[in-house]
Amino acid sequence: MPRRSILSAAERDNLMALPEGEDDLIRHYSFTESDLSLIRQRRGDANRLGFAVQLCLLRYPGHAMASEMPVPNAVIDWIARQIRSDATVWSKYGARDETRREHLQELRVYLGLSAFGLPDFRTLVHSLGDLAMQTDKGLVLAAQALDILRQRRIILPAMLVIERACAEAVTRANRRIYRQLLEPLQSHHLRGLDNLLNVAPDTNVTWLVWLRQSPLRPNSRYVREHIERLKIFQSLALPDGIGLQIHQNRLLKMVREGAQMTPRDLGDFEDERRYATLVALVIEGMATVIDELIDLHDRIMVKLFSAAKNKHQQEVQKQGKAFNDKV
């Protein structure tokens, strides 16, 4: 089964986009005297321009130039003006792949860069671990991955490799989160969580679905029902503080995913993921029920005060009319 992509095509393009505005071109693609001296050592305008372009791309965004990679005209024109070359010779560069490879090797030494390898992949996955515990958003993780590789002066691999490292970091973070949520649980907690997937008596829905239902109107009937829901949540007796060590973003993501699943889908999860998801649903569900009970109380009190106020005004009007009649 192919690995699910964590980035859209637009996000990949944005992450690896080359600068085209004048300010960005000046910041990223301005040459020093040392750079110009090295560029002038190439023979022929096409080689000098191609060598200069490779130098720029290795500095930012930090990858080696591929033969099929399009380079914006604004970049070519800016570099050509600096080295006093004709931008039209760009199409002649790299007719021989060997020339391109030789230039790349020389620039790697000049810039102090190293090629990306398997040890770097493992280190990258480990470095993304803390961020993956906070978010599983591919764009955020991929941007962090690029920053890490640039700081370590490693030539960026293909975006597919970056995505794979981010996905692996998210998978490892998920497992850590599952273990942290399950570690304080005992057998009776697990039995109570499993029971949430069973059908509640006198209904055609599971306990989990019933517990997540919201009150329809602010009246005593729905208050009593919601109090019963709160009691069932409390009867699970989950350990105090469970879930506090999990970042709120990740916990809420588990709740959203769990809410979209049917009880059968949840039952098909592997044990760690199923119990962790149910714990997240219980934590969020209990907080929601408490909030809704407070809201029900407030709405009922407002309704009572409004009715009392109207009754008082009606009495005042009646008394005022009787008083006027007597006067």
Side-chain angles (χ1 to χ4, degrees):
M1 180 180 296
R3 184 183 297 271
R4 182 177 65 88
S5 176
I6 65 172
L7 293 174
S8 66
E11 289 173 337
R12 292 189 201 98
D13 292 341
N14 289 335
L15 285 170
M16 301 301 286
L18 301 181
E20 295 190 53
E22 185 175 357
D23 291 342
D24 291 332
L25 288 171
I26 293 173
R27 181 168 70 254
H28 293 295
Y29 293 161
S30 293
F31 295 125
T32 65
E33 286 299 325
S34 177
D35 296 336
L36 293 172
S37 176
L38 186 66
I39 293 169
R40 293 189 191 106
Q41 295 176 26
R42 306 309 106 193
R43 299 178 61 181
D45 285 346
N47 281 338
R48 281 191 289 271
L49 181 58
F51 188 86
V53 171
Q54 286 220 59
L55 172 59
C56 290
L57 297 186
L58 283 171
R59 278 188 171 148
Y60 185 85
H63 59 68
M65 183 176 64
S67 57
E68 70 280 1
M69 176 183 177
V71 181
N73 291 333
V75 173
I76 301 299
D77 293 340
W78 170 256
I79 295 173
R81 287 201 302 272
Q82 288 189 84
I83 64 173
R84 298 179 182 179
S85 178
D86 183 1
T88 60
V89 301
W90 166 246
S91 59
K92 301 178 183 178
Y93 174 66
R96 294 171 61 245
D97 288 339
E98 184 179 352
T99 300
R100 194 188 302 270
R101 289 194 298 270
E102 289 175 353
H103 288 177
L104 174 60
Q105 183 59 33
E106 185 175 351
L107 286 168
R108 278 182 53 189
V109 176
Y110 174 69
L111 297 173
L113 301 175
S114 59
F116 184 89
L118 182 57
D120 300 305
F121 180 88
R122 293 169 177 163
T123 301
L124 181 60
V125 172
H126 178 74
S127 300
L128 292 172
D130 289 341
L131 181 59
M133 290 292 290
Q134 303 173 32
T135 180
D136 62 350
K137 293 186 180 297
L139 184 60
V140 176
L141 290 165
Q144 178 70 8
L146 296 180
D147 289 341
I148 291 172
L149 293 175
R150 287 166 181 153
Q151 290 171 8
R152 297 183 60 214
R153 305 193 66 76
I154 296 174
I155 297 176
L156 301 182
M159 280 305 301
L160 180 62
V161 178
I162 300 292
E163 286 189 72
R164 193 174 300 148
C166 295
E168 180 64 23
V170 170
T171 299
R172 294 186 182 186
N174 287 339
R175 292 172 184 161
R176 286 176 59 189
I177 291 171
Y178 299 159
R179 287 193 295 269
Q180 289 177 5
L181 288 173
L182 266 61
E183 185 177 1
L185 299 183
Q186 300 179 12
S187 57
H188 66 277
H189 294 128
L190 302 182
R191 288 194 299 270
L193 292 172
D194 281 331
N195 187 52
L196 295 178
L197 301 179
N198 296 329
V199 176
D202 302 325
T203 69
N204 58 353
V205 297
T206 63
W207 283 107
L208 184 62
V209 172
W210 182 78
L211 288 170
R212 292 178 59 82
Q213 290 178 351
S214 297
L216 299 179
R217 286 184 292 275
N219 57 38
S220 59
R221 173 193 168 188
Y222 290 106
V223 169
R224 289 195 299 270
E225 281 190 5
H226 241 41
I227 290 175
E228 289 302 316
R229 290 186 176 94
L230 180 59
K231 288 180 179 179
I232 292 174
F233 277 129
Q234 292 173 335
S235 68
L236 295 171
L238 294 182
D240 293 337
I242 188 170
L244 292 180
Q245 73 276 25
I246 308 300
H247 196 279
Q248 191 72 4
N249 290 340
R250 298 305 311 274
L251 201 63
L252 291 176
K253 178 69 178 298
M254 292 176 63
V255 171
R256 287 194 298 270
E257 290 179 347
Q260 295 171 358
M261 301 289 178
T262 65
R264 176 174 293 183
D265 293 334
L266 290 171
D268 291 339
F269 283 174
E270 60 181 4
D271 288 349
E272 278 193 348
R273 185 182 179 188
R274 181 176 73 257
Y275 288 128
T277 302
L278 288 172
V279 168
L281 288 169
V282 169
I283 293 172
E284 181 64 18
M286 188 170 180
T288 300
V289 166
I290 293 173
D291 290 342
E292 288 178 344
L293 277 171
I294 295 173
D295 181 63
L296 279 174
H297 173 270
D298 292 344
R299 291 166 65 187
I300 290 173
M301 294 304 295
V302 169
K303 185 178 179 181
L304 290 175
F305 277 116
S306 178
K309 183 179 179 180
N310 290 335
K311 186 176 181 180
H312 174 69
Q313 289 177 346
Q314 291 173 2
E315 291 295 329
V316 169
Q317 290 176 355
K318 289 180 180 178
Q319 293 176 2
K321 183 177 180 181
F323 179 76
N324 289 334
D325 290 342
K326 289 181 179 181
V327 171

